[in-house]
Amino acid sequence: MNNNKIFHFVFFLLLIFAFFNSIIIGISYDEPFHFINGKLRAEYINSLGKFNDFNYLDNKFYPGVYDTLNFYLVNLIQFFFKNNYTYEIKHLINLFVSLFTLFGLYLFSKSYFNRRIAIFATLLLFINPFFFGHMS
């Protein structure tokens, strides 16, 4: 078995593990805050600036762009599939954004360095506990 097959196998196992964690992880302590923040910012955008009660728990300096986009995506998915798995959908969205981040890091590193450094940097970010913990 060569190194390339081992790498693909380990990467595939980590992807399965990340997907499994994003489904079963449960709700963290700050997820309701981010959901409400996204909901209020989305209501502000939908009202074209007329809704002024979007400050929640003194978050006026918190940008909330990702929360708002995440709220729109969750509502779009729930509109089509009629389910109530809000936080699981949010976790899967975070997973896909993180996977695109890994892919972007790989392409960036490969263009400026070489393939081996790109794989090493991507794997290093992927197994980093801070990044892996926020993937889902």
Side-chain angles (χ1 to χ4, degrees):
M1 205 176 204
N2 62 9
N3 289 339
N4 201 16
K5 288 184 181 181
I6 293 172
F7 172 75
H8 285 106
F9 181 72
V10 169
F11 193 74
F12 181 73
L13 283 179
L14 285 172
L15 283 177
I16 297 295
F17 185 61
F19 182 77
F20 177 72
N21 281 339
S22 62
I23 297 296
I24 67 157
I25 196 104
I27 300 171
S28 69
Y29 72 95
D30 63 341
E31 282 189 79
F33 165 79
H34 290 290
F35 184 74
I36 293 171
N37 187 36
K39 181 179 179 181
L40 293 175
R41 306 281 171 147
E43 193 169 335
Y44 176 78
I45 291 171
N46 291 341
S47 71
L48 299 175
K50 294 180 178 136
F51 178 72
N52 291 324
D53 199 21
F54 59 86
N55 285 332
Y56 172 71
L57 293 178
D58 197 28
N59 67 344
K60 59 185 173 185
F61 298 115
Y62 187 81
V65 174
Y66 185 74
D67 295 340
T68 309
L69 292 175
N70 208 340
F71 178 79
Y72 278 128
L73 283 173
V74 167
N75 278 347
L76 182 70
I77 292 169
Q78 285 182 340
F79 176 76
F80 286 114
F81 294 111
K82 307 287 189 229
N83 60 29
N84 198 20
Y85 298 113
T86 302
Y87 292 104
E88 288 82 0
I89 294 170
K90 284 177 62 106
H91 293 166
L92 289 174
I93 292 170
N94 288 344
L95 176 68
F96 285 114
V97 168
S98 299
L99 291 177
F100 284 125
T101 301
L102 289 170
F103 183 66
L105 174 69
Y106 173 77
L107 292 178
F108 180 79
S109 300
K110 186 178 172 188
S111 68
Y112 281 101
F113 301 106
N114 59 26
R115 185 175 180 270
R116 288 184 66 196
I117 291 177
I119 289 173
F120 180 71
T122 304
L123 187 62
L124 196 62
L125 180 64
F126 193 41
I127 63 173
N128 183 348
F130 292 112
F131 186 80
F132 198 83
H134 283 91
M135 276 181 82
S136 59

